[in-house]
């Protein structure tokens, strides 16, 4: 059996999904058929909830209070988000994709599960020549991972500056997940400004019993995965992917002893830039055709308003966080932190 690294493992592991579960899935190298145009459409349809779920996670978890830190006070926090994939995003219909050389086999279903759809194979597909003649070659649409939650993680440090400003750095050095699983890194920058002290000084707490802030952030994941799909010598097959997220939020919170509830509303956008680089042989029509750098996905996945409710619990140096966000997909976030100051 030819060795073919799973594109499903690419994205699931990149999102910190359970490695054992992801690597146990059937390979989806069969998507590299019908030529680059058809392959790109299939990859987009299959990974659509992954793009959106990750886009939400990229912009999540920046802050759980509107109150800024004191000058040179800091904290370090680790949190995780889970975006819930709705029923409508758990499958796709190849008849709606505008494929050129791929059609459902006679009598077969045209439906396939997305990456975070059900754990079963999709419909049986047949490959056709450019003139519409069936080639007698078939493949099944790949199965989903079997659960409907897209996870992501945030690792960040926040420092208080003068004028009621916080700055935050998100970072994770390049980590090799394994010889078959590629490498992952993260970088991000954010800032928050507490507004009322800027305009009302020390009288703020007496006149308005809440804290109000505006905040923004940028996060990027980078992922690289070597591939071996019908490989030939010096083919240099690999996936290079960048996932970017930007958010702006208005936050209101109220500290009640060790408990701080908050609410926020904001705007978020995220985009995907994913490429399959190297030399590949596709089952293109009646013969195997060779293509270089055949797949390129560059698109905006999330672009809209979101609202969040959550809390922060503070016990000495330790903090615990939780929130719920309503956006393109609903999402929850939870984490822990350690720091000095507010």
């Amino acid at each position: 059996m030819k060795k073919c690294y799973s594109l499903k493992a690419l994205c699931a592991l990149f999102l910190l999904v359970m490695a054992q579960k992801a690597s146990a899935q059937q390979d989806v190298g069969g998507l590299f058929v019908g030529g680059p145009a058809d392959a790109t459409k299939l990859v987009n349809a299959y990974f659509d909830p992954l793009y959106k779920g990750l886009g939400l996670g990229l912009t999540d978890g920046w802050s759980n209070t509107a109150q800024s830190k004191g000058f040179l006070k800091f904290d370090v926090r680790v949190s995780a988000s889970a975006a819930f994939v709705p029923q409508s995003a758990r499958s796709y219909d190849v008849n709606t994709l505008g494929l050129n050389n791929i059609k459902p086999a006679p009598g077969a279903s045209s439906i396939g599960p997305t990456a975070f759809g059900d754990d079963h194979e999709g419909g049986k597909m047949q490959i056709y020549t450019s003139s519409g003649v069936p080639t007698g070659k078939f493949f099944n649409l790949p199965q989903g991972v079997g659960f409907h939650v897209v996870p992501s993680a945030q690792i960040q440090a926040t420092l208080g500056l003068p004028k009621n400003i916080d700055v935050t750095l998100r970072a994770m050095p390049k980590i090799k997940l394994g010889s078959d699983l590629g490498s992952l890194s993260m970088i991000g920058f954010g800032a928050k400004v507490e507004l009322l002290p800027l305009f009302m000084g020390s009288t703020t707490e007496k006149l308005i019993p809440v804290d109000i802030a505006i905040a923004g952030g940028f996060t990027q994941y980078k992922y690289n995965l070597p591939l071996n799909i019908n490989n030939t010598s010096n083919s240099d097959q690999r996936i290079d992917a960048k996932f970017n997220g930007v958010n702006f939020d208005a936050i209101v919170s109220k500290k009640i002893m060790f408990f701080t509830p908050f609410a926020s509303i904001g705007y978020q956008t995220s985009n995907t830039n994913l490429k399959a680089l190297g030399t590949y042989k596709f089952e293109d029509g009646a013969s195997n055709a060779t293509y270089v750098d055949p797949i390129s996905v560059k698109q905006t996945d999330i672009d809209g308003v979101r609202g969040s409710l959550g809390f922060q619990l503070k016990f000495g140096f330790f903090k615990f966080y939780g929130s719920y966000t309503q956006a393109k997909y609903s999402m929850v976030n939870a984490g822990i932190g350690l720091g000095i100051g507010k």
Side-chain angles (χ1 to χ4, degrees), residues 194-224:
E194 188 178 352
L195 297 178
L196 296 182
L198 294 178
F199 303 106
M200 303 177 65
S202 59
T203 63
T204 297
E205 188 172 348
K206 295 181 180 179
L207 297 177
I208 303 178
V210 296
D211 301 308
I212 301 174
I214 56 173
F218 165 81
T219 307
Q220 180 184 82
Y221 282 127
K222 289 184 179 181
Y223 187 83
N224 177 269

Side-chain angles (χ1 to χ4, degrees), residues 272-300:
T272 296
N273 188 344
L274 183 150
K275 297 179 180 179
L277 303 176
T279 303
Y280 300 78
K281 287 186 177 181
F282 282 74
E283 293 184 5
D284 186 359
S287 62
N288 290 336
T290 299
Y291 295 89
V292 177
D293 301 346
I295 294 178
S296 179
V297 176
K298 190 173 184 179
Q299 63 186 32
T300 297

Side-chain angles (χ1 to χ4, degrees), residues 94 104-105 108-113 120-126 139-142:
V94 296
S109 171
S110 63
I111 304 300
H120 62 73
E121 283 187 331
K124 187 177 182 180
M125 300 292 112
Q126 183 169 9
F139 71 98
N140 281 86
L141 298 173

Side-chain angles (χ1 to χ4, degrees), residues 32 67 113 134 155 161 172 190 215 246 252 256-257 265-266 286 295 303 317 329:
F32 282 72
Q67 191 175 46
I155 306 169
L161 299 180
M172 182 172 66
V246 176
V252 178
I256 307 171
M257 300 179 64
I265 186 168
I295 294 178
D303 187 21
F317 296 115
Y329 295 173

